[in-house]
């Protein structure tokens, strides 16, 4: 791997992304790699620069430095291509990197993996927009109460950091009601009211919440978790168990596996890998081995 495209999110991990990204850049160049900086003022700019570099074969691999959101960005550049993705995990949660067994907040170890050049093929989930553009995610797509909270929090400019999400939870809980869904799993239609629906290509999101704990990055299937309608006080008792994965034993929790998933609900915007993914309805499919990760 001599020609690397590098995208850094300087604000990842409470602004540690800049430090770890710079350390990775220094180590890569010291090892003799040719590094093209694809970073930009925003994600749209980085995507444009990254897509141009991949299309022009200007890079042998893309390396992202940041959290799950940067892995998500890297997937948009590399999934469905033969260009591998390297990860320098520098975010707050780093769920995807951790579950893939990659170094976390250790630039030297991450660079060592990247330069070794060994790859692992992992699945990625894909939707195709009305404009014909493929959008991918690697970890978990949230489409229930958690997505509602994300959408609320992202509409506020203040406060910054985790407190914004805590306040959004407090804002949404008193008015939250079970959401009517239509799910189509490998062609089977299911109608239900649920508190939480998550589609896992990987096991965890949100900094250690193992929402689909048995999901695998390389089984060719998506784990679809549904927490069916329960009273809000019961929901508050069940939800913290997501950190251990023991919530799946609750009688209101159902987990199904499917290759294709359609999610329908009114007024819900899904979030994937922590990033705003798009409003429902969404048609998702798993693409086995779609992403090559420098692991």
């Amino acid at each position: 791997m001599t020609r690397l495209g590098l995208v850094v999110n300087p604000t990842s991990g409470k602004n540690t992304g800049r430090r770890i990204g710079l350390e990775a850049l220094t180590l890569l160049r010291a090892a003799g790699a040719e590094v093209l900086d694809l970073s930009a003022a925003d994600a749209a700019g980085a995507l444009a620069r990254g897509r141009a570099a991949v299309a022009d074969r200007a890079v042998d691999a893309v390396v992202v430095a940041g959290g799950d959101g940067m892995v998500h960005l890297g997937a948009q550049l590399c999934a469905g291509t033969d260009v591998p993705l390297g990860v320098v995990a520098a975010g707050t949660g780093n769920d995807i990197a951790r579950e893939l067994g990659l170094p976390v907040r250790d630039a030297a170890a991450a660079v060592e993996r990247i330069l070794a050049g060994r790859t692992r093929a992992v699945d990625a989930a894909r939707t195709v927009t009305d404009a014909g553009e493929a959008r991918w995610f690697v970890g978990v797509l949230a489409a229930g109460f958690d997505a509602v909270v994300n959408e609320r929090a992202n509409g506020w400019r203040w406060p910054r950091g985790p407190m914004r999400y805590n306040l959004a939870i407090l804002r949404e809980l008193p008015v939250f009601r079970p959401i009517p869904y239509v799910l189509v799993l490998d062609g089977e239609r299911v109608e239900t009211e649920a508190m939480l629906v998550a589609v896992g290509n990987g096991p965890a999101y949100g900094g250690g919440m193992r929402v689909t704990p048995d999901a695998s990055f390389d089984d060719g299937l998506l784990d679809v978790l549904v927490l069916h309608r329960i009273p809000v006080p019961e929901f508050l008792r069940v939800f913290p168990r997501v950190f251990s994965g023991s919530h799946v034993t609750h009688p209101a929790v159902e987990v199904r596996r499917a290759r294709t998933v359609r999610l329908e609900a009114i007024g819900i915007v899904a979030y994937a890998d922590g990033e705003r993914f798009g409003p429902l309805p969404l048609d998702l499919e798993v693409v086995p081995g779609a992403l090559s990760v420098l692991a």
Side-chain angles (χ1 to χ4, degrees):
M1 297 293 170
T2 58
R3 299 179 305 163
L4 303 174
L6 176 65
V7 188
V8 176
N9 180 357
T11 64
S12 291
K14 299 179 181 177
N15 300 315
T16 61
R18 185 188 303 277
R19 175 181 59 79
I20 292 179
L22 180 59
E23 184 180 351
L25 174 62
T26 302
L27 291 169
L28 288 168
R29 285 182 170 160
E34 178 186 341
V35 183
L36 177 63
D37 189 0
L38 302 175
S39 304
D42 54 24
L47 276 172
R49 297 185 68 180
R51 282 174 173 151
V54 170
D56 294 343
R57 311 298 296 183
V59 295
D60 300 315
V62 172
V63 177
V64 294
D68 287 341
M70 290 304 290
V71 178
H72 184 80
L73 186 149
Q76 311 315 310
L77 301 177
C78 298
T81 78
D82 60 357
V83 177
L85 177 66
V87 179
V88 181
T92 303
N94 302 304
D95 291 287
I96 297 171
R98 184 174 290 107
E99 295 295 339
L100 285 172
L102 300 177
V104 172
R105 293 200 173 191
D106 185 340
V111 165
E112 183 179 0
R113 298 279 188 99
I114 291 164
L115 292 174
R118 291 186 293 272
T119 60
R120 172 185 175 184
V122 301
D123 304 340
R126 177 176 65 190
T127 189
V128 179
T129 69
D130 292 340
E133 178 187 356
R135 290 207 64 195
W136 302 85
F137 71 89
V138 183
V140 177
L141 179 137
F145 176 74
D146 42 5
V148 171
V149 169
N150 258 308
E151 187 73 351
R152 172 68 66 181
N154 286 340
W156 294 339
R157 295 184 178 180
W158 183 92
R160 302 183 71 85
M163 183 54 67
R164 181 167 58 179
Y165 295 94
N166 294 338
L167 291 176
I169 290 171
L170 293 176
R171 168 66 178 80
E172 291 298 332
L173 261 179
V175 298
F176 184 72
R177 297 293 180 270
I179 301 166
Y181 290 93
V182 174
L183 312 177
V184 184
L185 309 175
D186 287 342
E188 180 187 346
R189 180 184 174 93
V190 178
E191 296 186 30
T192 188
E193 290 187 335
M195 318 297 282
L196 201 69
V197 171
V199 180
N201 181 55
Y205 70 162
M209 292 190 286
R210 300 183 60 79
V211 64
T212 48
D214 296 321
S216 169
F217 289 108
D218 52 14
D219 65 353
L221 294 168
L222 298 171
D223 282 31
V224 183
L225 178 136
V226 180
L227 173 55
H228 294 283
R229 179 181 186 135
I230 54 176
V232 170
E234 180 68 6
F235 177 56
L236 289 175
R237 285 192 289 271
V238 174
F239 191 75
R241 291 166 58 184
V242 76
F243 285 96
S244 66
S246 64
H247 62 293
V248 298
T249 63
H250 191 280
V253 172
E254 180 181 8
V255 181
R256 302 274 298 273
R257 289 193 169 119
R259 291 177 174 84
T260 63
V261 177
R262 179 174 174 86
L263 301 178
E264 300 178 17
I266 295 172
I268 299 298
V269 176
Y271 280 71
D273 304 333
E275 300 295 307
R276 197 177 197 270
F277 198 72
L280 272 51
L282 281 174
D283 289 297
L284 307 169
E285 64 173 333
V286 64
V287 182
L291 182 63
S292 180
V293 177
L294 290 165

